[in-house]
Amino acid sequence: LLVDSMATQPRIVAALQALLREATARDVIVVHLAGHAARGGAEQDTLYFIPHEARLDAPGTGMEVRLVR
């Protein structure tokens, strides 16, 4: 569980990678991201999750949601 200042992009990525390393083919993984998101990109077609260190006024500083799939 990462909350507040602990919920940085590097820590979120590390936690997801650790989860995937420990999972087996028989496991089902459900990830729930709770927080802010913003649209960005050239055509506003990219969705960004906004971790603690990102800026809401600059969505590109967040994590592209497609990277979590």
Side-chain angles (χ1 to χ4, degrees):
L1 178 63
L2 298 172
V3 297
D4 299 330
S5 63
M6 293 175 50
T8 63
Q9 182 169 339
R11 286 182 173 169
I12 293 168
V13 169
L16 290 171
Q17 290 172 337
L19 179 65
L20 292 173
R21 276 193 306 275
E22 296 173 15
T24 68
R26 297 179 56 118
D27 292 326
V28 174
I29 298 173
V30 177
V31 176
H32 178 85
L33 297 174
H36 297 281
R39 292 211 173 269
E43 297 181 28
Q44 297 293 306
D45 58 350
T46 304
L47 183 62
Y48 294 92
F49 178 72
I50 306 298
H52 183 75
E53 77 282 9
R55 296 179 24 214
L56 277 174
D57 63 339
T61 62
M63 294 175 59
E64 284 189 51
V65 172
R66 69 177 180 83
L67 299 176
V68 180
R69 292 185 196 179

